[in-house]
Amino acid sequence: MTNQNNSVFRIPPYYFIHVLDLNENVTRLIIGPKTFVKQDNEKVVYGPEKMIIIPPNYYCIVENPVLRDDTNNVMFDKNNSVLLAFADTEIRFAREPFPLYPGEILKQNITPLRILPANSALRLKAILDFEEENGEKRVAGDEWLFEGPGTYIPRKEVSVEEQIRATTIKPNQAIRLRARKECTDRNGKERVTGEEWVVKKNGAYLPGAYEEVVSVVDAYVLTEKRALHMRSLRTFTDDFGKKRLNGEEWLITLDDTETHIPSVYEEVVGVVDVTTLSSRQYAVILDPIGEDGKPQLGKKRLVKGEKSFFLQPGEKLEKGIQDVFVLGEDEGLILKCIEAFEDENKQQKSPGDRWMIKGPTDYVPPVEVEVVTRRKAIPLDENEGIYVRDIKSGKVRAIVGQTYMLNQDEELWEKQLMPNIEKLLIRNPLLEAALTEKLDKESLPNRNKSRVVSFRVPHNGAVQVYDYKEKKARVVFGPNLVLLGPDEQFTQLSLSGGKPKIPNKIKSICLLLGPDFSTDIFQIETADHARLSLTVSYNWHFDTSKINDPKEAAKLFNVPDFVGDACKSISSRIRGAVASKSFDFFHKNSARIIRESVFGLDENKKIRKEFYFEQNNLVITSIDIQGVEPVDQRTRDSLQKSVQLAIEITTNSQEATAKHEAERAEQEARGKLERQKILDEAEAEKARRALLELQALSAAVESTGQAKAEAQSRAEAQKIEGEAAVEQARLKADAAKIEAQSELERLTHARNAELGYVREQNEIEISKQTQLSEVEVNKFKKMVDAIGAQTLREMATAGPDLQVKMLQALGLQSTLITDGSNPINLFNTANGLIGNFSPKKQKHNPEDDVD
């Protein structure tokens, strides 16, 4: 900020200030280098500021630029104020440093020029009408591209909307373009606003000014197992030259092309996988495509394997891929005709016909045939069966004991039984009685209702089966197996049970023929009105001597509750008999009264042995009276008192007898005790006498034995000491002998080692001297061979100097000169010469031996 108190402004080079003349109200420009002295009527309103320096490839925008004449000089008005182009801008590029004149504003600071690389462009828009250097006229609102590579030089009539980069189209790719307004694409084709098209050429694509990239579209790769389901969005001609109508659907496979890029007028509905059928599979296609390429609605086509195919648009499989029906010997297929046709055997089939084919075979149903069901032969043992119903006539029959396969007009029939019968079929009547309360709480068993109902009748049991169709019953005696026919049902027995007997307490379908027993509790009243509760058990059985007669066998089930009926009959007879007897008489003769009332008397006034029921052949053989208890409290008390009194009398009598017997036994025991005491004292005296004799004898033996033992001990001690001394001397002698022998062995080993050592040294010395002699001999021989015989001869014949040289050459340190007339002992001389070089032998010192 300018300090107005300063009157002198030193403006450096390339700096400027704006000075306002307060008198004329005109601002002027002062450019450095200069020292400016401010007057009183002047005011520095701007600066000092550095001039604007624009380097190469840079620019800036100045608002309200000054006006210049043709010679590029600044224009001033009559008041000497610069003329400005208000609301206008000027783009200035690299030039000499320049100042800003008063009124000019740096709208955009120094900015580098845009350098566009290849495959990029700037979308430009004209904001003012102008004409380019090449003569092309631009109208405000026009848009065009400045494509790289290049440096964009901005101008004030043009605004940069955006920078666009080229989209790279890779193999198996395309870009989808849309026209933002009417234009001509790069291929020279006219495009209308909103029109879309696809560019598939590989490489970089730079969209035009009025084009925009909608998306990059990847190609669909088609294989032998994949196809494309296409749909037309409008009527057009596809890439294969076929005309497609609006909404038409078709399939593109590998036979058409390896890759496919959808155009803008078609869409991919989905990728269709190939349908592959093996040799044991088939498929039914609904609404197949005809030879004319149109769907045949409502029709079907059968395709058998082995085959691979694509489902055309609109086609679908009826039940997916189905396996061929492979039938074994015990299998079959129930077929139904749904459309008239002629089968393989040239037989005409009408809709609704049913027939069956049996194995072994494999079968593929044609489209006119529906497979109703698959049948398998049902193996049945001789005690097993099934219910079969004829669907035409409705007749039901049971097939038992053979393997059977249902034909086309038969089906399994389920036989319904009452819930109680279902539960009783799985119970064993010999083990547990089926009480009504427990039976109602049990859940129904899971039974195959199409199987023939069977029940094993136990030994000594009977079951009644009633045929509702024939309206007759049959009785089956055990042990046996009952198989129910379609119209047969078991006869359910509802028997009394409990104590006292309660009607309908036990449910059963099997009647046990006995022998068995039944217990009942009922009340009776005597002639003197004493009420008693009587517990009676009866032994019973059914008379089966005439069971071969159907009428006699049917009698067993004439009485539904034979237990309740027999108990009521017997109790009524007992009540009638007891009613005419007094309590005391009945109490004393209860067994006889009850037996007479039940069994009766024969012609001889004797009690019969059994009670026979004619209506169902039930026989009561015996009666056991388990308890008689008064019901009235006073009768019970009096009976209890009489019983207690009888018990007390019997108890007192038994006590007196026992007391008398105890006193007699006590006297006998006391006499035996006194006698035994006398005998014991006599025996004690005899024992005391024997003891004293033994004590005297032991004292004499003790005194004699002590002296003898001491003498023997001393003798033994001396003997042991002598033997120990002898043994010690012997051991010392053995030790001395062992030491002497060990010392001798040590010296022997030492001498032998020393002799071996000396022997080896001598052998080594001899070997060494022998080798040295051989070395000298070889040395001398080689020297002689090296000099040669001729040379030696010459040297011998030469003068004394030559002899000296010869001796020096031979390396001889001593010489012997003779005239040849006197003999010389060369052997001794040689030994003397060699002896000087032989090493001295080391003398052996015996003192060095280690003892």
Side-chain angles (χ1 to χ4, degrees), residues 691-703:
L691 177 62
L692 292 175
E693 291 176 354
L694 290 175
Q695 285 179 353
L697 181 61
S698 66
V701 172
E702 182 178 0
S703 60

Side-chain angles (χ1 to χ4, degrees), residues 93 268 315 496 508 557 653 823 833:
F93 301 96
V268 178
E315 293 181 343
S496 299
S508 178
F557 294 89
S653 174
L833 292 174

Side-chain angles (χ1 to χ4, degrees), residues 6 135 141 301 389 643 663 824:
N6 295 334
R301 185 171 76 238
R389 177 176 177 268
V643 171
E663 289 177 354
I824 299 174

Side-chain angles (χ1 to χ4, degrees), residues 743-757:
E743 182 66 21
L744 178 60
E745 290 178 357
R746 185 186 70 79
L747 291 175
T748 302
H749 289 306
R751 295 299 180 267
N752 291 336
E754 182 180 358
L755 289 175
Y757 174 73

Side-chain angles (χ1 to χ4, degrees), residues 418-425 427-430 432-440 455 491-497 502-512 560-561:
M418 291 185 295
N420 286 342
I421 299 295
E422 293 273 9
K423 298 174 184 178
L424 292 173
L425 285 175
R427 282 181 170 271
N428 188 348
L430 297 177
E432 181 183 1
L435 299 179
T436 305
E437 296 82 359
K438 294 182 179 179
L439 205 63
D440 294 339
F455 181 74
T491 299
Q492 179 181 340
L493 300 176
S494 297
L495 306 178
S496 299
I502 300 175
N504 300 324
K505 185 70 174 179
I506 300 175
K507 304 290 185 180
S508 178
I509 59 175
C510 178
L511 177 64
L512 299 179
D561 185 6

